[in-house]
Amino acid sequence: MTRYPVDRRDRESLRALQAERLRETVEHAYENVEFYRAALDDAGVSPSEISSVDDVRRLPMTTKEDFRDEYPDGLFAVSDDEIRRIHASSGTTGKPKIVGYTDDDLSNWSEVVARSLAASGVEAGDTVQNAYGYGLFTGGLGLHYGIEELDATVIPIGGGQTQRQIEMLQDLDSDVLSCTPSYALYVAETAEEMGIDPAELALSTVIFGAEPCTEPMRAEIEERLDVTGIDIYGLSEVIGPGVSNECHEAQDGLHIWEDHFLPEVVDPATGDPLPEGEEGELVLTSLTKEAVPVLRYRTGDLTTLNYERCDCGRTMVRMDNVTGRTDDLLIVRGVNLYPSEIESVVLELDEVAPYYRIDLDREDELDRMTLSVELDDGFDGSRRDVRESLRTRLENVLSFTPDELTLAEPGTLARTEVGKVQRVFDNR
Ligand code: DLL
């Protein structure tokens, strides 16, 4: 009997637990973090007034800038000697966001990751090859301890060394690979180059996260590696991987582990909560965190919430998979575009490989976009036709045509072996 069975608890008792934990979290933050005390005082909210889940709406919001302003540990709520581990998320600019964990935080984290793995279909005794980066990034160690918590076997290989990675997959018959979606594709591609059919590997599941993955990209991973592709979501400021996870039974949205994280979806422009089912920015409040509690953290990730009962039996709310962030929005000559929308259009075409890049420049005060798309291995058709159908599709679906459309030879666009993939280069 697994220690992580499907959680079917009724929502009423879940909400009661959330209300109790919300109040404790607000009290803890108020008493121990100057930043929160000032913010709550400004908002005129006393922790003792928090009595229901809906009271979360009265709390002030926390942003990425707050983490940066309070660098390194201004948001810590416990003394240094209670901090057992530090992680950091590296932004592209400025100081990283530093987060800390107490003993209890680490065990809660392992538990939510173990739950995520169980929801992914991983069982005790399975072998999981963990190809997320180890180190300050939360992916490596976050997955690692969750795998052990589930009584599965972890291969802590980390990112990179792709040929060795594939030999391990082969020699140790790994059942599960955990890595970014772009790296999963790179593993498939490298295996093919080594003369190994990736579909012949023992792998049954890829648990991908840390980056957006559109449905055509998931389909590509599932087909080439002959696996079930499962999406895991999380962010350092809230804990790391394991905030939410898809279930393998339905693969229809990611269950948020609501006994630890309270979600809301808000209008990114106004911060106002949106009704269920409307897309907006995900805002998370931690319910059990000790070292770095977060109140209404604005994740920047776009999603929707769905409270309908899932086919798998789990009662916890589902979020849509995140394919965009508020700050991903590209405004090109007045047209609003998300890179994921471009990706979906590009990947629908059989003639192209799942590699592309978007370069934005400004020339004579005008925006200029170059879209580079890689041709599929073995392509021998007409480039003109491919270019034509890409242009037509982009125009029909997004009402947008790039200024330049480059078809790159198979294998020539940069691959990411370690860390997160970058596909947009905005030089404006
Ligand atoms: O990426 C934690 C993680 C590690 C999640 C391994 C899943 C697997 P950060 O480096 O702090 O933490 O980056 C968090 O990455 O706000 C999202 O924008 C993005 N992200 C994370 N998971 C997903 C996902 C880790 N499944 C930021 N789909 C988040 C889309 C994701 N985007």
Side-chain angles (χ1 to χ4, degrees):
M1 173 69 190
T2 169
R3 278 184 292 146
Y4 293 93
V6 168
D7 189 337
R8 299 169 195 271
R9 78 180 90 181
D10 68 276
R11 292 209 50 93
E12 222 166 281
S13 66
L14 178 61
R15 271 178 82 82
L17 178 71
Q18 286 179 312
E20 186 188 318
R21 290 182 168 179
L22 177 63
R23 182 186 170 127
E24 284 165 7
T25 297
V26 177
E27 264 167 15
H28 176 55
Y30 188 84
E31 276 159 26
N32 298 295
V33 186
E34 232 177 271
F35 168 87
Y36 283 122
R37 188 176 322 149
L40 287 159
D41 283 346
D42 276 355
V45 183
S46 153
S48 60
E49 294 162 15
I50 304 297
S51 57
S52 77
V53 171
D54 290 335
D55 287 332
V56 74
R57 296 185 177 192
R58 301 180 52 203
L59 304 177
M61 291 184 161
T62 312
T63 62
K64 291 190 192 303
E65 287 66 45
D66 295 327
F67 264 86
R68 297 228 161 85
D69 293 346
E70 296 297 323
Y71 177 88
D73 58 359
L75 294 179
F76 282 28
V78 298
S79 60
D80 288 356
D81 58 354
E82 288 175 80
I83 300 286
R84 209 55 66 235
R85 202 193 301 159
I86 296 279
H87 279 284
S89 91
S90 53
T92 38
T93 52
K95 295 273 193 198
K97 285 160 261 156
I98 302 285
V99 290
Y101 302 78
T102 63
D103 277 330
D104 283 350
D105 290 338
L106 289 175
S107 66
N108 282 330
W109 189 14
S110 299
E111 184 187 321
V112 289
V113 174
R115 237 191 249 183
S116 300
L117 294 162
S120 308
V122 184
E123 291 175 1
D126 282 350
T127 299
V128 185
Q129 188 155 319
N130 185 24
Y132 285 113
Y134 279 71
L136 285 173
F137 176 53
T138 52
L141 289 176
L143 264 289
H144 184 103
Y145 287 106
I147 296 164
E148 291 187 351
E149 169 63 24
L150 189 69
D151 292 338
T153 305
V154 59
I155 304 178
I157 189 158
Q161 313 181 65
T162 309
Q163 298 214 353
R164 243 184 101 196
Q165 187 95 242
I166 289 158
E167 283 159 19
M168 287 277 190
L169 286 173
Q170 250 189 335
D171 298 344
L172 297 177
D173 283 339
S174 308
D175 305 290
V176 181
L177 174 66
S178 49
C179 63
T180 60
S182 55
Y183 192 62
L185 283 177
Y186 186 64
V187 166
E189 185 181 47
T190 309
E192 280 157 12
E193 280 165 19
M194 291 164 70
I196 297 164
D197 178 358
E200 293 292 311
L201 294 166
L203 281 182
S204 61
T205 307
V206 168
I207 302 179
F208 58 77
E211 283 170 6
C213 183
T214 56
E215 283 309 317
M217 187 74 92
R218 182 213 299 263
E220 184 96 21
I221 293 171
E222 292 193 324
E223 191 190 315
R224 286 176 72 179
L225 288 154
D226 190 20
V227 290
T228 305
I230 300 283
D231 196 351
I232 184 168
Y233 168 85
L235 63 169
S236 323
E237 302 90 298
V238 173
I239 204 160
V243 170
S244 64
N245 203 92
E246 256 175 358
C247 58
H248 69 105
E249 297 93 337
Q251 278 183 292
D252 186 18
L254 291 77
H255 291 276
I256 301 179
W257 308 127
E258 284 180 277
D259 47 342
H260 294 278
F261 314 104
L262 178 63
E264 299 168 82
V265 164
V266 305
D267 179 331
T270 61
D272 293 337
L274 292 173
E276 179 184 344
E278 274 188 36
E279 188 184 68
E281 179 178 355
L282 180 67
V283 169
L284 292 166
T285 299
S286 68
L287 295 176
T288 50
K289 286 234 334 256
E290 294 177 341
V292 192
V294 283
L295 304 186
R296 302 192 86 196
Y297 185 66
R298 293 191 68 151
T299 63
D301 294 321
L302 295 168
T303 190
T304 53
L305 294 178
N306 173 3
Y307 285 90
E308 265 169 45
R309 175 70 70 97
C310 180
D311 289 346
C312 73
R314 287 178 185 80
T315 46
M316 290 196 191
V317 66
R318 281 171 286 164
M319 59 185 257
D320 258 359
N321 88 326
V322 173
T323 53
R325 298 179 39 80
T326 50
D327 47 13
D328 278 348
L329 178 67
L330 304 173
I331 305 179
V332 187
R333 295 191 302 269
V335 179
N336 289 0
L337 291 167
Y338 280 101
S340 58
E341 297 176 313
I342 299 178
E343 174 175 311
S344 295
V345 173
V346 166
L347 296 193
E348 270 171 26
L349 228 68
D350 288 341
E351 294 86 348
V352 306
Y355 300 97
Y356 65 95
R357 64 176 275 163
I358 297 165
D359 286 274
L360 292 161
D361 296 284
R362 200 181 295 270
E363 250 175 46
D364 303 328
E365 307 291 304
L366 279 180
D367 295 330
R368 215 185 131 72
M369 184 203 274
T370 306
L371 174 64
S372 312
V373 174
E374 194 175 294
L375 288 166
D376 204 27
D377 204 16
F379 171 80
D380 62 356
S382 148
R383 284 160 184 265
R384 221 169 114 187
D385 290 352
V386 175
R387 211 174 264 134
E388 210 33 57
S389 52
L390 266 174
R391 275 191 198 283
T392 314
R393 276 169 198 247
L394 287 166
E395 191 54 49
N396 289 347
V397 181
L398 303 174
S399 310
F400 183 81
T401 320
D403 302 278
E404 204 175 318
L405 188 57
T406 310
L407 298 182
E409 289 302 316
T412 53
L413 290 186
R415 312 302 200 236
T416 308
E417 269 198 87
V418 179
K420 303 192 186 204
V421 69
Q422 188 186 357
R423 297 194 179 96
V424 178
F425 299 83
D426 196 340
N427 309 308
R428 292 177 294 179

